[in-house]
């Protein structure tokens, strides 16, 4: 059985930077523990924007520059980075909520082996749910899990709504307090 962990957008701007929240900061120890104890393939997504962010569709709807490539806010949270530094992982830059390349990148290493896919990260209600649903659409029979204790949303309410949406789409939710 192959295990896959997808660490979604655990970047400084989402933890304690431009769009950071206390809920996002509070999950960092859980994310670090999950990474440290994980054995399998790890994929790490980076929300990636550029200097023209404010001219994009997203920038017009969310006028808060964040995760501009090359800035400190684009980098992984230091604790998450340190947990990953001794592990092999694949980095995936994405300029929108979900990575359309992620399912194909995952598929490249699967062969015919059975597998489990687990997602953790930020924000539950935007990028985690987007990536979970893209993966589910590409692998409808896959065992896909989201660890709610390793996720935070823009608000507690929107986090809970995203968790409910993923459950309704037959994605397993664990550690949902």
């Amino acid at each position: 059985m192959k295990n896959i962990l997808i660490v979604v957008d655990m970047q400084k701007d989402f933890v304690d930077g431009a769009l950071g929240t206390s809920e996002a900061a509070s999950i960092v120890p859980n994310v670090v523990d999950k990474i440290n104890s994980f054995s399998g393939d790890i994929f790490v997504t980076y929300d990636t924007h550029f200097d023209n962010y404010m001219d994009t569709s997203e920038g017009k709807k969310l006028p808060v520059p964040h995760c501009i490539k090359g800035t400190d806010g684009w980098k992984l949270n230091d604790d998450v980075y340190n947990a990953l530094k001794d592990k092999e992982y694949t980095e995936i830059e994405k300029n929108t909520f979900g990575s359309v390349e992620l399912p194909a990148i995952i598929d490249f290493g699967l062969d015919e082996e059975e597998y489990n896919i687990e997602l953790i990260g930020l924000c539950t209600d935007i990028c985690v749910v987007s990536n979970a649903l893209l993966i589910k659409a590409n692998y409808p029979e896959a065992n896909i899990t989201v660890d709610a204790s390793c996720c935070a949303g823009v608000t507690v309410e929107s986090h809970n709504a995203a968790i409910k949406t993923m459950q309704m789409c037959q994605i397993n939710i664990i550690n949902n307090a």
Side-chain angles (χ1 to χ4, degrees), residues 90-163:
T90 302
E91 294 179 331
I92 300 165
E93 293 181 20
K94 58 184 190 53
N95 62 2
T96 189
F97 309 127
S99 170
V100 294
E101 292 88 13
L102 183 58
I105 293 169
I106 291 171
D107 189 49
F108 182 74
L110 287 179
D111 300 322
E112 297 299 317
E113 195 174 353
E114 288 189 38
Y115 52 93
N116 294 309
I117 300 172
E118 185 171 350
L119 292 95
I120 61 175
L122 300 168
C123 293
T124 319
D125 45 345
I126 302 173
C127 295
V128 174
V129 69
S130 295
N131 283 289
L133 293 174
L134 278 167
I135 293 166
K136 185 66 174 174
N138 280 271
Y139 304 107
E141 298 302 318
N143 182 34
I144 302 169
T145 302
V146 170
D147 186 339
S149 72
C150 294
C151 295
V154 173
T155 66
V156 172
E157 295 79 17
S158 60
H159 165 84
N160 290 333
I163 292 295

Side-chain angles (χ1 to χ4, degrees), residues 43 59 63 70 85 120 163 167:
F43 298 86
K85 73 179 179 183
I120 61 175
I163 292 295
Q167 285 175 318

